[in-house]
Amino acid sequence: MRTRLIGVALLWLIVLGVAAYARKPEPATARRFLLECTLTEFNAEGQKKVKAEPRLVTLESQPAKFMEGGQVAWTVGAGNDKEVEFVPFGFSAEIKPRLQKNGKVVLDVTIQDTQAERTAEGLIRTQSKGARCLTTVDFGDSTTLALTREKGTRYFFEVRVRDGDEATNRP
Protein backbone atom coordinates (compact mmCIF):
# COMPACT_ATOMS: atom_id res chain seq x y z
CA MET A 1 0.00 0.00 0.00
CA ARG A 2 2.81 2.34 0.93
CA THR A 3 4.61 1.73 -2.36
CA ARG A 4 1.41 2.39 -4.26
CA LEU A 5 0.93 5.75 -2.44
CA ILE A 6 4.49 6.76 -3.22
CA GLY A 7 3.95 5.82 -6.88
CA VAL A 8 0.71 7.82 -7.05
CA ALA A 9 2.40 10.80 -5.34
CA LEU A 10 5.31 10.68 -7.81
CA LEU A 11 2.91 10.41 -10.74
CA TRP A 12 0.98 13.41 -9.37
CA LEU A 13 4.21 15.45 -9.06
CA ILE A 14 5.13 14.58 -12.63
CA VAL A 15 1.69 15.64 -13.88
CA LEU A 16 1.97 18.92 -11.95
CA GLY A 17 5.47 19.52 -13.31
CA VAL A 18 4.38 18.87 -16.91
CA ALA A 19 1.35 21.14 -16.46
CA ALA A 20 3.50 23.90 -14.95
CA TYR A 21 6.00 23.56 -17.80
CA ALA A 22 3.18 23.73 -20.36
CA ARG A 23 1.89 26.96 -18.77
CA LYS A 24 5.33 28.56 -18.73
CA PRO A 25 5.32 31.42 -21.24
CA GLU A 26 7.83 31.42 -24.06
CA PRO A 27 10.64 33.92 -23.54
CA ALA A 28 9.82 37.08 -25.44
CA THR A 29 12.10 37.98 -28.28
CA ALA A 30 13.47 41.50 -28.12
CA ARG A 31 11.56 44.00 -30.23
CA ARG A 32 13.61 45.79 -32.89
CA PHE A 33 13.17 49.44 -33.75
CA LEU A 34 14.30 51.27 -36.88
CA LEU A 35 15.19 54.89 -36.11
CA GLU A 36 15.36 57.12 -39.17
CA CYS A 37 17.20 60.28 -38.15
CA THR A 38 17.97 63.58 -39.84
CA LEU A 39 20.48 66.15 -38.58
CA THR A 40 19.91 69.54 -40.23
CA GLU A 41 22.01 72.67 -39.72
CA PHE A 42 20.78 76.23 -40.30
CA ASN A 43 23.44 78.93 -40.33
CA ALA A 44 22.89 82.53 -39.14
CA GLU A 45 21.66 83.52 -42.63
CA GLY A 46 19.06 80.74 -42.59
CA GLN A 47 20.76 78.50 -45.15
CA LYS A 48 19.84 74.86 -44.63
CA LYS A 49 22.28 71.96 -44.85
CA VAL A 50 21.45 68.31 -44.12
CA LYS A 51 24.52 67.08 -42.23
CA ALA A 52 23.58 63.42 -41.78
CA GLU A 53 20.71 60.96 -42.27
CA PRO A 54 21.58 57.86 -40.25
CA ARG A 55 19.29 54.83 -40.06
CA LEU A 56 19.83 53.06 -36.76
CA VAL A 57 18.46 49.70 -35.62
CA THR A 58 18.27 48.90 -31.91
CA LEU A 59 16.50 46.61 -29.51
CA GLU A 60 13.86 47.73 -27.05
CA SER A 61 15.30 49.69 -24.09
CA GLN A 62 18.78 49.58 -25.66
CA PRO A 63 20.39 52.87 -26.72
CA ALA A 64 21.25 53.61 -30.34
CA LYS A 65 24.11 56.09 -30.65
CA PHE A 66 25.14 58.41 -33.43
CA MET A 67 27.98 60.93 -33.77
CA GLU A 68 28.74 63.45 -36.49
CA GLY A 69 32.13 64.96 -35.75
CA GLY A 70 35.49 63.61 -34.76
CA GLN A 71 38.19 63.48 -32.12
CA VAL A 72 41.09 65.74 -31.18
CA ALA A 73 44.26 63.97 -30.05
CA TRP A 74 46.35 65.44 -27.28
CA THR A 75 49.23 64.29 -25.10
CA VAL A 76 48.76 63.71 -21.39
CA GLY A 77 51.56 63.21 -18.86
CA ALA A 78 55.25 64.07 -18.77
CA GLY A 79 58.53 62.36 -19.58
CA ASN A 80 58.24 58.68 -20.42
CA ASP A 81 54.70 58.51 -19.02
CA LYS A 82 53.13 60.41 -21.93
CA GLU A 83 49.94 59.01 -23.39
CA VAL A 84 47.65 60.14 -26.16
CA GLU A 85 44.01 60.75 -25.28
CA PHE A 86 41.20 61.57 -27.67
CA VAL A 87 38.60 64.23 -26.95
CA PRO A 88 35.38 63.84 -28.98
CA PHE A 89 33.72 66.86 -30.59
CA GLY A 90 30.72 67.43 -32.82
CA PHE A 91 27.06 66.45 -32.63
CA SER A 92 26.03 63.26 -30.86
CA ALA A 93 22.70 61.62 -30.15
CA GLU A 94 21.48 58.71 -28.07
CA ILE A 95 17.99 57.30 -28.63
CA LYS A 96 16.36 54.65 -26.45
CA PRO A 97 12.91 53.34 -27.55
CA ARG A 98 10.48 51.43 -25.33
CA LEU A 99 7.15 49.91 -26.42
CA GLN A 100 4.14 50.54 -24.19
CA LYS A 101 1.26 48.10 -23.75
CA ASN A 102 -1.02 50.42 -25.79
CA GLY A 103 1.28 50.06 -28.84
CA LYS A 104 2.81 53.54 -28.57
CA VAL A 105 6.57 54.06 -28.34
CA VAL A 106 8.32 56.08 -25.65
CA LEU A 107 11.41 57.74 -27.11
CA ASP A 108 14.15 58.91 -24.75
CA VAL A 109 16.33 61.17 -26.93
CA THR A 110 19.47 62.96 -25.73
CA ILE A 111 21.48 65.23 -28.04
CA GLN A 112 24.73 67.09 -27.44
CA ASP A 113 26.87 69.50 -29.43
CA THR A 114 30.49 69.70 -28.27
CA GLN A 115 33.01 72.19 -29.63
CA ALA A 116 36.71 71.66 -28.98
CA GLU A 117 39.57 74.11 -29.46
CA ARG A 118 43.24 74.16 -28.58
CA THR A 119 44.33 77.01 -26.30
CA ALA A 120 47.60 78.96 -26.55
CA GLU A 121 48.94 76.85 -23.67
CA GLY A 122 48.40 73.68 -25.68
CA LEU A 123 45.37 72.56 -23.70
CA ILE A 124 42.04 71.55 -25.20
CA ARG A 125 38.98 73.48 -24.14
CA THR A 126 35.54 72.02 -24.77
CA GLN A 127 32.13 73.61 -24.66
CA SER A 128 28.96 71.52 -24.76
CA LYS A 129 25.25 72.15 -25.08
CA GLY A 130 22.66 69.45 -24.79
CA ALA A 131 18.98 68.65 -24.66
CA ARG A 132 16.87 65.68 -23.65
CA CYS A 133 13.34 64.77 -24.65
CA LEU A 134 11.09 62.03 -23.33
CA THR A 135 8.08 61.72 -25.61
CA THR A 136 5.47 59.20 -26.74
CA VAL A 137 4.85 58.60 -30.45
CA ASP A 138 3.10 56.13 -32.73
CA PHE A 139 5.05 53.99 -35.18
CA GLY A 140 5.79 56.16 -38.22
CA ASP A 141 5.70 59.42 -36.22
CA SER A 142 8.69 61.55 -35.32
CA THR A 143 9.98 64.02 -32.75
CA THR A 144 12.42 66.90 -33.27
CA LEU A 145 14.93 68.49 -30.90
CA ALA A 146 16.79 71.76 -31.52
CA LEU A 147 20.08 73.26 -30.30
CA THR A 148 21.43 76.74 -30.97
CA ARG A 149 25.16 77.30 -31.17
CA GLU A 150 26.79 80.64 -30.58
CA LYS A 151 26.87 82.86 -33.69
CA GLY A 152 23.32 81.78 -34.57
CA THR A 153 23.92 78.28 -35.96
CA ARG A 154 20.97 76.01 -35.17
CA TYR A 155 20.75 72.23 -35.28
CA PHE A 156 17.53 70.26 -35.66
CA PHE A 157 17.60 66.53 -34.96
CA GLU A 158 14.54 64.55 -36.08
CA VAL A 159 13.89 60.92 -35.13
CA ARG A 160 11.20 58.86 -36.86
CA VAL A 161 10.48 55.47 -35.29
CA ARG A 162 9.41 52.41 -37.26
CA ASP A 163 8.87 48.77 -36.37
CA GLY A 164 12.32 47.29 -36.98
CA ASP A 165 11.00 43.79 -37.60
CA GLU A 166 8.68 44.97 -40.39
CA ALA A 167 11.11 47.53 -41.84
CA THR A 168 14.10 45.19 -42.06
CA ASN A 169 12.09 42.29 -43.55
CA ARG A 170 10.79 44.26 -46.52
CA PRO A 171 11.72 42.89 -49.96
Side-chain angles (χ1 to χ4, degrees):
M1 179 74 172
R2 183 174 178 208
T3 322
R4 188 170 181 191
L5 284 174
I6 291 173
V8 169
L10 285 175
L11 183 60
W12 183 249
L13 288 174
I14 291 170
V15 168
L16 286 177
V18 169
Y21 181 78
R23 284 193 309 263
K24 189 184 261 185
E26 287 291 319
T29 57
R31 183 76 177 248
R32 290 190 307 174
F33 293 86
L34 172 63
L35 306 169
E36 299 173 332
C37 307
T38 304
L39 174 61
T40 307
E41 176 186 83
F42 289 87
N43 64 16
E45 292 80 39
Q47 295 172 322
K48 175 182 174 181
K49 180 179 181 184
V50 175
K51 301 281 284 181
E53 293 181 296
R55 291 171 48 101
L56 309 171
V57 176
T58 189
L59 298 175
E60 183 170 5
S61 298
Q62 297 297 312
K65 297 179 182 181
F66 160 74
M67 180 164 187
E68 188 272 329
Q71 297 178 337
V72 176
W74 72 301
T75 307
V76 179
N80 291 334
D81 292 333
K82 287 185 178 180
E83 293 181 2
V84 175
E85 288 189 6
F86 296 92
V87 178
F89 68 91
F91 184 91
S92 62
E94 180 177 303
I95 308 111
K96 190 182 330 182
R98 184 173 46 86
L99 187 65
Q100 292 182 317
K101 290 180 181 178
N102 63 4
K104 294 187 180 284
V105 179
V106 174
L107 285 179
D108 184 353
V109 183
T110 303
I111 59 174
Q112 185 169 329
D113 178 35
T114 303
Q115 297 175 352
E117 64 182 2
R118 200 173 292 277
T119 65
E121 298 83 25
L123 301 173
I124 295 178
R125 182 175 62 199
T126 62
Q127 180 180 357
S128 295
K129 284 187 174 184
R132 183 175 181 203
C133 174
L134 203 59
T135 187
T136 304
V137 296
D138 288 316
F139 281 109
D141 288 348
S142 65
T143 188
T144 303
L145 282 79
L147 282 180
T148 302
R149 233 187 214 182
E150 54 189 61
K151 301 179 185 170
T153 302
R154 294 175 296 156
Y155 285 103
F156 290 90
F157 185 71
E158 179 184 15
V159 180
R160 181 171 310 280
V161 63
R162 299 200 186 278
D163 185 330
D165 294 325
E166 290 179 14
T168 54
N169 290 331
R170 282 190 255 169

